[in-house]
Every structure is written in structure tokens, then in C-alpha cells.
């Protein structure tokens, strides 16, 4: 069985858009990115299933039944995505309630590490080399 080209393009677009939105600083955009990634995973799993009859014993021959595992995995992925979406929505609401916006701020420790890394990367002048010796 070969996958449909529309499924492949749709999965690629959903994953690409989800990753781009996850890299943003706004929690609402991160939320939309997680939702798109969840939908991309569902479509990816959906494209992997074999077409066939209803997987109920006695309705169709066993070799003609479709595999119910992809459907169960998609249902599980939907529940997990819903839980993560609810958590991120509560986080964005609380962040907006406290600070007035939902932007993720830089951590003070991260800024300090960047300053130290920039200082260590700067070449020493002749005066500093003599002082160090």
C-alpha cells in the first residue's frame, strides 16, 4: 500500500507550521503549535493503517479486516493533545493575568550565561595578556 500524496503533504505542512509556532515567544502561538503537531501526528498515524472491513469477528473474513490499532492510537493521541492543550491554555491565562501579556520572558540566569560567554569569547589585548602573565 502506498500512502496518498495529499496525506504526506498535509503531515509535512502541519509539522512545519507546528514547529515554527512552537519557537515563538507568545504562549498562544505555542498553544496553536502544539495543536498543529497533535493533528499532524494523527494524520501520520491515519495514513499508516490498512484499509479493510470492520474489525468485528464474524462480519468479514479475518484477512479482510482493517487494523484497529491505528484508530486506538489516534484516539489516545487526541486525549493527550487535549490534556496538554488545557494545561497550556491555563498557563497562558495565568501568565496574562499576572503580567498583562502572554510573552515568555528571558530567564535572568540565561542572560548572565550569555554575558559570560560573550566575555570569554572576546580576544585579549596586549595589555590584558601582560596583566594575566
Amino acid at each position: 500500500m502506498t500512502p496518498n500524496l495529499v496525506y504526506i503533504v498535509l503531515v509535512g505542512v502541519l509539522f512545519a507550521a507546528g514547529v515554527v509556532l512552537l519557537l515563538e515567544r507568545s504562549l498562544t502561538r505555542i498553544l496553536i503549535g502544539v495543536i498543529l503537531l497533535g493533528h499532524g501526528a494523527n494524520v501520520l498515524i491515519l495514513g499508516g493503517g490498512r484499509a479493510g472491513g470492520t474489525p468485528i469477528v464474524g462480519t468479514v473474513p479475518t484477512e479482510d479486516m482493517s487494523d484497529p490499532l491505528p484508530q486506538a492510537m489516534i484516539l489516545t493521541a487526541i486525549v493527550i493533545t487535549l490534556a496538554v492543550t488545557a494545561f497550556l491554555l491555563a498557563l497562558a491565562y495565568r501568565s496574562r493575568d499576572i503580567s498583562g501579556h502572554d510573552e515568555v520572558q528571558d530567564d535572568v540566569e540565561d542572560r548572565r550565561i550569555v554575558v559570560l560567554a560573550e566575555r570569554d569569547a572576546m580576544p585579549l589585548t596586549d595589555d590584558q595578556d601582560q596583566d594575566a602573565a
Side-chain angles (χ1 to χ4, degrees):
M1 179 179 128
T2 60
N4 192 349
L5 183 62
V6 175
Y7 282 139
I8 295 171
V9 171
L10 182 63
V11 168
V13 167
L14 286 173
F15 273 114
V19 168
V20 167
L21 288 173
L22 274 178
L23 296 175
E24 295 288 330
R25 286 199 160 298
S26 172
L27 284 175
T28 52
R29 290 182 182 169
I30 292 172
L31 174 68
I32 294 170
V34 167
I35 292 170
L36 288 179
L37 280 176
H39 288 313
N42 293 342
V43 173
L44 180 67
I45 295 171
L46 179 67
R50 180 175 61 90
T54 316
I56 299 174
V57 177
T59 56
V60 292
T62 308
E63 59 274 354
D64 293 338
M65 286 185 186
S66 65
D67 188 14
L69 184 63
Q71 297 171 9
M73 289 177 67
I74 289 173
L75 185 61
T76 305
I78 290 170
V79 171
I80 291 171
T81 303
L82 179 67
V84 171
T85 301
F87 173 71
L88 285 175
L89 192 59
L91 188 67
Y93 176 76
R94 184 71 177 153
S95 174
R96 186 179 182 283
D97 205 27
I98 290 174
S99 64
H101 55 79
D102 67 344
E103 292 279 325
V104 177
Q105 299 296 320
D106 285 337
D107 190 21
V108 176
E109 188 67 24
D110 287 342
R111 284 191 224 138
R112 192 173 137 249
I113 290 172
V114 168
V115 168
L116 289 174
E118 288 174 352
R119 188 189 68 186
D120 291 341
M122 293 177 62
L124 296 176
T125 62
D126 291 335
D127 294 336
Q128 290 173 341
D129 284 338
Q130 292 172 359
D131 290 339

